Amino acid sequence: MKIATAAYQMDWLDNWAQYEDKLASWVGDAAKESADLLVFPEYGAMELATLDGEGAARDLERSLHAVSDRMEDAAALHLKLAAEYGVHILGASAPVNAGFDRPVNRAELYTPNGQRDHQDKQIMTMFERDPWDVMGGGPLKLFDTALGKIGVLICYDSEFPLLGRALAEADIILVPSCTEALAGYWRVRIGAMARALENQCVTAQASLVGQADWSESVDVTIGMGGIFGPPDTGFPSTGVLAEGTLGEPGWTFADVDLETISDVRRAGVVRNRSHWEEQEPRVKSVTNLSLR
């Protein structure tokens, strides 16, 4: 398969038709390159808040609910495009009122045969906790698709190895991200690459990029698309299958073969995934020694 991962820049939208045209253009461009799986970034749906006007877009609390109110219409559009182009799409994540005490950060996976399901972010960043008050949602999921088994670790979630280990059966882990500083981008990228190493799988990071002066939540973002694997048999020695250009909007593409993932798990130079459990008896206690 071919994976396309986005460095996505948000726009001010005056009407819904502009969003339809923009998303159709992005999906169409990826499909022209024969992409099978498209990955949009974390909080890329925040541009939908502009449809409720500047007051809603600029207000932290109002923007949450303005975006949530648009997500069913956004889902219908993604499903239409997934069917039209025969692609799987991880839509840009959004704050969603989903029956919890507060909005959750949710990314939806759409298939070309009309199915959809979602992954909620598990662990909130400092800004999401306060002042934004976005909360963790439902549990981690493993999606069994026509392209293989797919997991999703939204941004900060990729930095926690036990969450990654819970998705050890995934062939591909998608990492939609939104980072305001270069250090944040690299934290998520290092997390994505570490999860590829540990699980001997492929990870695909999408980034929000550019400026959105109308938003207090995602006003400045930096990053690029990237697709990673274990630096082992069948993969590049760097573990980098493809990477974009920092801060430059567009798609980054890489071809991925599920057989290569299977082979490295079975016969790689190292076997991190199958040797994981050997850690357990060795970390139950630490011997403290004084060398003062």
Side-chain angles (χ1 to χ4, degrees):
M1 80 189 78
K2 180 176 283 189
I3 298 176
T5 184
Y8 185 80
Q9 186 166 17
M10 295 188 300
D11 293 310
W12 181 274
L13 303 169
D14 292 316
N15 54 65
W16 179 258
Q18 286 182 337
Y19 179 67
E20 289 181 317
D21 291 344
K22 178 181 181 180
L23 195 64
S25 177
W26 273 83
V27 174
D29 286 347
K32 287 177 184 175
E33 299 296 328
S34 301
D36 302 290
L37 173 59
L38 284 55
V39 188
F40 285 97
E42 181 186 35
Y43 285 127
M46 289 308 299
E47 63 187 346
L48 295 175
T50 63
L51 294 172
D52 279 24
E54 186 172 352
R58 289 187 179 279
D59 185 274
L60 274 178
E61 184 66 13
R62 289 177 62 190
S63 67
L64 289 171
H65 306 291
V67 174
S68 180
D69 290 345
R70 302 276 182 177
M71 290 316 296
E72 281 306 306
D73 289 337
L77 176 58
H78 282 78
L79 286 170
K80 174 179 176 292
L81 293 169
E84 179 179 349
Y85 289 101
V87 295
H88 289 67
I89 304 173
L90 184 74
S93 85
V96 176
N97 292 310
F100 298 92
D101 291 338
R102 289 287 298 166
V104 299
N105 182 0
R106 174 168 292 181
E108 291 255 9
L109 182 62
Y110 306 96
T111 73
N113 64 357
Q115 297 191 71
R116 60 183 278 207
D117 209 320
H118 63 267
Q119 177 62 64
D120 293 340
K121 190 173 184 177
Q122 303 293 289
I123 300 176
M124 300 295 103
T125 63
M126 299 306 295
F127 177 78
E128 285 174 309
R129 294 166 191 252
D130 183 21
W132 216 11
D133 199 13
V134 176
M135 66 178 292
L140 282 173
K141 299 177 180 180
L142 184 63
F143 304 103
D144 191 0
T145 77
L147 300 179
K149 294 180 180 179
I150 297 175
V152 181
L153 293 174
I154 300 176
C155 202
Y156 194 36
D157 287 349
S158 70
E159 300 177 34
F160 293 88
L162 295 185
L163 297 183
R165 181 59 183 178
L167 298 175
E169 295 302 313
D171 302 302
I172 303 163
I173 296 176
L174 308 182
V175 184
S177 68
C178 171
T179 52
E180 67 177 354
L182 187 60
Y185 162 75
W186 274 100
R187 285 194 296 269
V188 178
R189 173 167 170 163
I190 289 168
M193 295 185 75
R195 306 296 79 82
L197 172 66
E198 293 162 357
N199 285 343
Q200 296 181 281
C201 68
V202 168
T203 58
Q205 180 183 4
S207 296
L208 204 60
V209 299
Q211 292 185 315
D213 295 336
W214 42 263
S215 174
E216 187 176 343
S217 57
V218 287
D219 53 340
V220 178
T221 51
I222 190 168
M224 58 183 171
I227 302 164
F228 314 111
D232 202 336
T233 306
F235 290 90
S237 297
T238 61
V240 180
L241 280 75
E243 62 181 359
T245 300
L246 191 68
E248 183 175 312
W251 289 111
T252 296
F253 301 94
D255 291 311
V256 173
D257 185 350
L258 295 185
E259 284 298 320
T260 305
I261 297 170
S262 178
D263 289 345
V264 76
R265 287 173 167 177
R266 176 182 54 82
V269 175
V270 293
R271 313 285 166 81
N272 303 69
R273 182 171 174 269
S274 61
H275 293 163
W276 177 276
E277 293 180 358
E278 294 182 23
Q279 300 175 92
E280 295 180 3
R282 299 176 180 275
V283 298
K284 289 182 177 179
S285 63
V286 176
T287 300
N288 293 299
L289 300 173
S290 175
L291 298 177
R292 291 177 179 270

